[in-house]
Amino acid sequence: MASRRFRNWRTVAVFLGAFAVLLPAMSRVFYQPGAGNRPPRILIKGELVQADLDAFPAIAKTAREDAAAALASNGTSAPPLGKGTVNVMLDSRGGSIWVAMSIGRIIRANAFMTRVEGGASCVSACVYVLAAGQARYVGGRVGIHRPFLPNDGVTSARAKKAQYEGINAQASQYLEEMGLPKSLHERMMRTPPDRVAWLSAQELSIFGLMRLAPPPPGPALPR
């Protein structure tokens, strides 16, 4: 009887595992098609986890295609100043920095706009997603601190130090890739992981996290 029950549970587990690729459960990424003058929106809510990254590429593709079709139907090739062809709406207390940077690179590749609306917050790893917007708007709260490495009771202090240095270097490189000043990374590193430094409107501007227009094109390279 016990062996039969085990086989039944194993069958159920295999069955559910087969459908996991079809149903990305627990994903916190949602898509809202454009309506009227409002462009398509991608909403990212809650903790940033692997399921969000799994869902994001397909949603980004749909949003990009819908936005292109909407612009073409209006006879234009670019949205009004201060509005993105696709807006990525953020309301997250953080999560995986690797997920955040991976989603961020997709956002930048598609020239999406990132937004933290009034009443929403973008904290910790979420800030790496915010930084990726071709244009960025903050009406809510943005909080930063340095990355946190949980104590698993197995990793040695030396190995944890190496891990932390690796995260530090990659986070700095990512922000530089997104065109943000080194002062933002330095400010993050000065804030302990168990605290949050809430950024003022002036700091958001200084750190480049509030920018409604994309940067002008750089000078042409000499031939």
Side-chain angles (χ1 to χ4, degrees):
M1 179 67 70
S3 61
R4 183 182 303 169
R5 188 180 299 116
F6 174 77
R7 285 196 300 271
N8 289 341
W9 275 110
R10 185 172 61 181
T11 301
V12 171
V14 171
F15 178 81
L16 292 176
F19 277 87
V21 295
L22 301 177
L23 301 173
M26 303 303 292
S27 174
R28 297 162 179 81
V29 181
F30 308 94
Y31 177 60
Q32 292 182 344
N37 292 327
R38 179 178 62 74
R41 301 195 300 188
I42 301 173
L43 287 71
I44 300 179
K45 299 178 70 69
E47 182 183 0
L48 293 164
V49 296
Q50 182 62 39
D52 301 329
L53 178 56
D54 294 341
F56 197 82
I59 292 176
K61 182 176 184 291
T62 298
R64 183 181 68 245
E65 292 171 350
D66 287 355
L71 289 173
S73 67
N74 292 332
T76 60
S77 59
L81 184 65
K83 293 187 177 180
T85 54
V86 174
N87 290 328
V88 180
M89 322 296 286
L90 303 172
D91 189 5
S92 170
R93 297 285 297 183
S96 168
I97 188 173
W98 310 117
V99 167
M101 291 192 294
S102 297
I103 289 177
R105 288 189 169 103
I106 298 172
I107 289 172
R108 178 56 62 90
N110 286 281
F112 292 166
M113 181 178 188
T114 49
R115 301 179 67 93
V116 182
E117 299 291 351
S121 61
C122 181
V123 188
S124 188
C126 175
V127 178
Y128 294 94
V129 182
L130 172 62
Q134 186 71 17
R136 302 179 279 273
Y137 168 79
V138 177
R141 298 207 301 168
V142 173
I144 61 174
H145 58 71
R146 67 173 177 259
F148 171 72
L149 282 178
N151 185 7
D152 58 12
V154 177
T155 307
S156 67
R158 183 175 181 180
K160 284 192 68 173
K161 183 175 184 294
Q163 288 178 3
Y164 185 80
E165 289 174 349
I167 292 174
N168 187 8
Q170 291 190 52
S172 177
Q173 178 184 351
Y174 172 85
L175 292 174
E176 182 178 357
E177 178 186 334
M178 295 300 149
L180 274 70
K182 289 184 178 180
S183 56
L184 173 58
H185 179 71
E186 293 168 352
R187 182 71 174 86
M188 288 176 169
M189 293 303 109
R190 290 199 303 269
T191 306
D194 58 346
R195 297 182 59 190
V196 174
W198 296 102
L199 301 182
S200 66
Q202 182 180 14
E203 288 173 320
L204 289 170
S205 179
I206 291 172
F207 294 144
L209 292 172
M210 179 74 165
R211 188 182 71 193
L212 293 182
L221 296 175
R223 295 182 178 180

